[in-house]
């Protein structure tokens, strides 16, 4: 791990993908440099900013000002906040607006927002005129450490999370840690689940550091930049080795098989943020690993304890409206997990743990033990 960064020291993380390599710029107030960086990257470019209503209140005008200062013309496309926009209708709205804005193949789409905006704008860019480049300007912790890096774009189907999409790498990522100051505590905590994930799946030393320093990350100290940079380096390394998730990259889905099913069961609503689903899913993955004898109960308890200390939900019973039909039913959850992108010929694939800091891909997991495990967890008292 690197030494903790100072607020005044932006860091550059390279995503090494040959002629499609790009930089992640991390630091406080680096958003102001967007226009200059875009002008240097693509002289004479036109841009269109895709954002949501909440982010627009805080960061749309500063983003437009940075582009204007560099002489870059831009237009704005504002969508509703949340998963409601990550749909067929949302994709149509953004795509038609980009066409109306006359964004051409040599222009840039700028995704200014959290994971929803990044996925939606990136997918629209991927299919517009058979492919237009885009820039990620992530405004949530979750997006800065996870969804803005690696080129996964897409929308949800009523049948499951992220079932429609494309691999489409950005050409630049600007992760301004100052924008995180405007997040609600719940949004920040949800993003922290993805930070913890990197320690749990592949870096026990980082996880130990998080156990000691997570309070400073939440306060906005120098530990915040360090945690984001470390997370981005971890993801960039995996993406550069396995861009299209044919092997190692699947490890980044730790907690997501359970988590995506829970998001679908709650209707992709604010009852359960994505990061909250990942926190519960990570805990369940650790506990299922212990049930299979892959790790000790103490390791599973360690993962859950840290997430609880960070203020995250870890049990199914922590979800609002837990008793509603479809959420407290093991068979219904199994049906949703059967729609997971990692399912092959009906067999479930889980990311499980051999230790804190060492995840493995478990293919062809039989559904019966998973169903029994879920029934036990669902039977726990609230």
């Amino acid at each position: 791990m690197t030494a903790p960064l100072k607020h005044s020291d932006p860091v550059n993380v390279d995503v090494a993908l040959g002629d499609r390599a790009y930089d992640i710029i991390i630091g406080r107030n680096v958003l102001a440099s967007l226009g200059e960086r875009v002008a240097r990257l693509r002289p004479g470019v036109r841009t269109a900013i895709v954002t949501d209503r909440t982010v627009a209140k805080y960061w749309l005008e500063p983003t437009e000002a940075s582009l204007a200062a560099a002489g870059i013309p831009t237009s704005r496309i504002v969508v509703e906040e949340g998963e409601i926009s990550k749909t067929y209708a949302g994709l149509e709205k953004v795509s038609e607006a980009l066409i109306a804005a006359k964004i051409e193949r040599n222009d840039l789409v700028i995704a200014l927002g959290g994971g929803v905006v990044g996925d939606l704008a990136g997918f629209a860019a991927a299919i517009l005129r058979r492919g237009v480049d885009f820039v990620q300007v992530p405004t949530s912790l979750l997006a800065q450490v996870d969804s803005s890096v690696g080129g996964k774009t897409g929308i949800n189907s009523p049948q499951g999370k992220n079932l429609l999409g494309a691999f489409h790498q950005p050409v630049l990522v600007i992760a301004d840690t100052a924008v995180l100051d405007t997040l609600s505590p719940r949004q920040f905590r949800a993003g922290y689940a993805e930070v913890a994930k990197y320690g749990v799946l592949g870096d026990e030393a980082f996880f130990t550091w998080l156990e000691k320093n997570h309070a400073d990350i939440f306060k906005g100290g120098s530990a915040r930049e360090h945690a984001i940079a470390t997370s981005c380096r971890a993801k960039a390394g995996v993406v550069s080795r396995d861009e299209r998730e044919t092997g190692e990259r699947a490890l980044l889905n730790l907690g997501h098989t359970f988590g995506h099913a829970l998001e679908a069961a709650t209707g992709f609503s604010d009852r359960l943020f994505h990061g909250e689903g990942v926190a519960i899913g990570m805990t369940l993955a650790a506990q299922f690993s212990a049930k299979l004898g892959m790790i000790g109960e103490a390791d599973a308890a360690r993962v859950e304890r840290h997430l609880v200390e960070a203020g995250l939900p870890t049990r199914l019973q922590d979800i609002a409206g837990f008793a509603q039909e479809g959420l407290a039913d093991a068979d219904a959850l199994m049906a949703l997990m059967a729609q997971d992108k990692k399912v092959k010929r009906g067999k479930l694939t889980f990311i499980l743990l051999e230790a804190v800091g060492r995840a493995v891909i478990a293919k062809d997991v039989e559904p019966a033990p998973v169903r029994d495990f879920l029934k036990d967890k669902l039977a726990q008292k609230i």
Side-chain angles (χ1 to χ4, degrees):
M1 295 190 303
T2 61
L5 303 167
K6 298 177 182 179
H7 284 317
S8 59
D9 298 335
V11 64
N12 184 331
V13 175
D14 175 48
V15 183
L17 288 170
D19 59 0
R20 292 176 298 107
Y22 56 94
D23 293 330
I24 309 166
I25 311 299
I26 304 162
R28 199 163 185 86
N29 299 318
V30 294
L31 178 59
S33 71
L34 173 66
E36 176 189 344
R37 294 178 189 278
V38 167
R40 194 162 57 239
L41 189 67
R42 294 289 172 84
V45 75
R46 290 173 53 86
T47 63
I49 302 168
V50 181
T51 190
D52 68 44
R53 294 190 187 282
T54 300
V55 172
K57 294 176 185 176
Y58 296 102
W59 303 112
L60 181 53
E61 289 186 2
T63 303
E64 290 174 329
S66 177
L67 294 167
I72 299 170
T74 191
S75 55
R76 56 169 67 176
I77 302 166
V78 182
V79 301
E80 297 300 323
E81 182 182 11
E83 298 282 341
I84 191 174
S85 288
K86 199 172 154 181
T87 59
Y88 290 107
L91 179 63
E92 179 182 14
K93 175 180 177 177
V94 171
S95 299
E96 291 297 330
L98 290 171
I99 294 169
K102 296 182 171 55
I103 296 300
E104 300 174 353
R105 280 188 176 179
N106 58 337
D107 292 328
L108 287 175
V109 176
I110 296 177
L112 174 68
V116 167
V117 166
D119 284 0
L120 175 61
F123 189 28
I127 61 177
L128 177 67
R129 306 188 195 280
R130 296 190 175 91
V132 171
D133 286 337
F134 81 117
V135 173
Q136 287 271 21
V137 184
T139 60
S140 70
L141 178 60
L142 187 148
Q144 290 191 1
V145 302
D146 185 64
S147 60
S148 69
V149 180
K152 282 187 177 181
T153 70
I155 60 172
N156 302 327
S157 158
Q159 299 183 66
K161 180 93 171 178
N162 295 333
L163 292 180
L164 301 121
F167 285 96
H168 189 53
Q169 298 291 344
V171 295
L172 176 68
V173 180
I174 300 290
D176 188 333
T177 59
V179 307
L180 304 181
D181 295 342
T182 60
L183 295 180
S184 71
R186 184 185 174 194
Q187 288 172 320
F188 193 91
R189 287 195 302 270
Y192 181 80
E194 294 281 4
V195 175
K197 180 192 75 175
Y198 290 107
V200 175
L201 73 87
D203 191 341
E204 195 273 339
F206 181 48
F207 187 73
T208 299
W209 182 85
L210 291 172
E211 289 175 309
K212 297 176 181 177
N213 294 279
H214 68 275
D216 191 35
I217 296 170
F218 279 72
K219 290 176 183 176
S222 59
R224 179 178 292 183
E225 281 86 354
H226 176 60
I228 293 170
T230 302
S231 299
C232 286
R233 287 192 187 96
K235 183 158 189 181
V238 172
V239 168
S240 66
R241 294 187 295 271
D242 180 23
E243 180 182 3
R244 291 184 173 264
E245 201 173 301
T246 58
E248 179 188 4
R249 186 168 177 175
L251 294 173
L252 298 176
N253 290 310
L254 175 64
H256 286 60
T257 300
F258 288 115
H260 283 170
L262 296 173
E263 286 185 82
T266 52
F268 303 114
S269 68
D270 61 6
R271 287 172 57 197
L272 186 72
F273 289 172
H274 173 69
E276 294 170 335
V278 170
I280 297 172
M282 228 184 331
T283 303
L284 291 173
Q287 292 170 341
F288 188 55
S289 299
K291 183 181 176 77
L292 296 177
M294 297 174 63
I295 62 172
E297 296 285 351
D299 282 336
R302 180 185 177 192
V303 172
E304 181 175 17
R305 181 170 57 252
H306 179 60
L307 296 173
V308 169
E309 288 176 352
L312 284 159
T314 58
R315 305 188 313 146
L316 296 168
Q317 290 80 356
D318 294 336
I319 302 172
F322 164 75
Q324 292 183 12
E325 184 179 357
L327 183 56
D329 184 307
D331 288 330
L333 291 176
M334 290 295 295
L336 290 169
M337 280 192 280
Q339 290 287 3
D340 187 84
K341 298 185 298 301
K342 297 184 295 303
V343 170
K344 291 186 178 178
R345 293 180 173 84
K347 293 284 190 177
L348 295 169
T349 296
F350 283 91
I351 310 305
L352 301 177
L353 299 177
E354 291 183 336
V356 175
R358 189 165 71 248
V360 294
I361 302 169
K363 297 181 179 179
D364 299 336
V365 176
E366 293 294 334
V370 181
R371 184 180 289 105
D372 291 342
F373 170 74
L374 284 173
K375 285 181 177 179
D376 288 343
K377 292 301 172 184
L378 289 166
Q380 290 181 351
K381 294 183 179 180
I382 297 176

